[in-house]
Every structure is written in C-alpha cells, then in structure tokens.
Amino acid sequence: REGVLMLGDALNLRHALTGCGMTVGLRDVENLSDLLTRDGKGIPVETRKIESEFLRRRCPYASTLNTLANALHQVFAPPGGDRARARIRTACFRYLSNGGVCAAGPMGLLSGLCEKPWVLSTHFFLVVVFALRDFCLERGMGAVSPSALRDIYQMLHAGARILLPLLIKERTAPFAWWPTRKALNVVFPFEDLM
C-alpha cells in the first residue's frame, strides 16, 4: 500500500526460534532513521526517494538472518528418523560449546552484527564437519567400509539440503549463480526442495 513501510518481521516470514525478526526490526529502525535524516542534523528528506536505498541496505542483514533462522529451525526440528540430521543437530551443540570462534561467529550472526552469508555458510558446514568427525571417531575409521562412506555422504547431503536452498532463495552469494547451483546439485541433489 502507498505510504506504508513494514519493518522487521511484520509479515511474520521468519521462524521465531532465533528472534531474528526483532533483530531485523532494530536494524531496520537504525537504517531508516539514518536515511530520514541528512548529514546527521535531523533535516528530513523526501521519503519516496529513500525506499529503494532502504531496501538495498536491508538486503544483506535481512537475508542472512532469514537464512540463519530457517536453517536452525531445520537443524533443531525433530529429525524423524533421519540419522544424518540428528548427528548434525548434536554436532551443532558441540560446536557452539567449544566457545571462541565457534561461538563468536554464530553469535555475531544472530545479533545481526555480522551480515555476511559466507560467514553463515562457513559455520554451518563446520558444524557438518564436526558431525563427520564425531562419526569417524565413533567408528574408529581405520578401515573405511561402503556403509561408512554412505553415512558420510548422507551427512554432507543433509547439510547441503538444509542450507543451499535457503541461500539460493535469498539470492545469496555465489550459490545463486546458476553454474554453481547446478554443479552443487549434481553432487548433492537439493533442487527438488525449491
């Protein structure tokens, strides 16, 4: 509607698990107040001219937080017998409990202070690597069996099926570029989810 600007998660698009709708709302208020003043002196500018700039500025943090909220919802949702997702969920808790960079990166994403999709992708796939490491340590991977290789692939595939469709839907980073998307889909089929 003409003259209406929705802030935060006013349309209820994000899963409430992370509180990212409130984080986006606070960043939207900061962004909009900056655009409504000129030179920091409180001089109003024409609001019609700022709409596209507001949306351009909003995209990085809103899409990263949206991807994060939806990915975490899928990780923490009951896996329904999917052993790969159950391992990823357990690994997520272990990853965060390491502290340091393992906790600081995800907390920066959750707080909206870091809006880079590559940081989200890196931490997400490090969680998958943690799941793989735990799996290999449990099995004593001296002799790799075909069933172990299948389980390893299933964990990598489960991670890809959670994150890649979300990144592509948000048109995030190189994953939205069709050659990258098609190459990843050959190794880890996920386009059926889109």
Side-chain angles (χ1 to χ4, degrees):
R1 216 172 96 185
E2 181 86 20
V4 175
L5 184 62
M6 306 290 273
L7 300 178
D9 196 21
L11 298 174
N12 199 27
L13 298 173
R14 286 169 191 81
H15 195 278
L17 174 72
T18 60
C20 288
M22 178 62 79
T23 304
V24 171
L26 293 171
R27 290 287 306 268
D28 282 352
V29 168
E30 176 187 38
N31 184 7
L32 188 59
S33 67
D34 181 52
L35 289 169
L36 289 174
T37 59
R38 189 179 319 154
D39 300 326
K41 298 177 184 173
I43 301 168
V45 296
E46 192 175 328
T47 56
R48 290 179 193 264
K49 293 181 181 178
I50 66 164
E51 183 179 8
S52 65
E53 178 63 15
F54 172 77
L55 294 174
R56 187 192 67 73
R57 288 185 183 188
R58 183 182 202 266
C59 186
Y61 63 84
S63 65
T64 300
L65 285 165
N66 196 38
T67 302
L68 175 64
N70 289 317
L72 285 176
H73 174 255
Q74 289 185 45
V75 167
F76 292 127
D82 184 342
R83 291 180 305 161
R85 274 194 39 227
R87 287 183 179 279
I88 291 171
R89 179 171 48 178
T90 301
C92 188
F93 289 115
R94 287 197 2 82
Y95 182 78
L96 292 171
S97 69
N98 280 326
V101 174
C102 295
M107 292 308 116
L109 290 163
L110 279 169
S111 67
L113 297 174
C114 178
E115 54 191 47
K116 296 176 174 44
W118 67 265
V119 173
L120 169 60
S121 302
T122 300
H123 284 286
F124 186 85
F125 282 106
L126 283 173
V127 167
V128 175
V129 168
F130 258 65
L132 294 171
R133 187 188 113 215
D134 291 346
F135 174 76
C136 291
L137 289 174
E138 284 173 18
R139 291 185 61 106
M141 293 301 286
V144 178
S145 68
S147 67
L149 290 174
R150 183 196 69 233
D151 290 344
I152 289 169
Y153 173 80
Q154 286 175 342
M155 279 183 271
L156 290 168
H157 191 207
R161 286 178 66 86
I162 290 171
L163 190 63
L164 293 176
L166 297 171
L167 291 171
I168 291 166
K169 180 181 173 191
E170 294 290 336
R171 293 180 174 84
T172 305
F175 298 110
W177 190 47
W178 73 265
T180 305
R181 187 176 71 234
K182 293 299 181 187
L184 287 168
N185 192 57
V186 168
V187 179
F188 303 111
F190 64 88
E191 287 190 340
D192 60 310
L193 299 174
M194 298 177 65

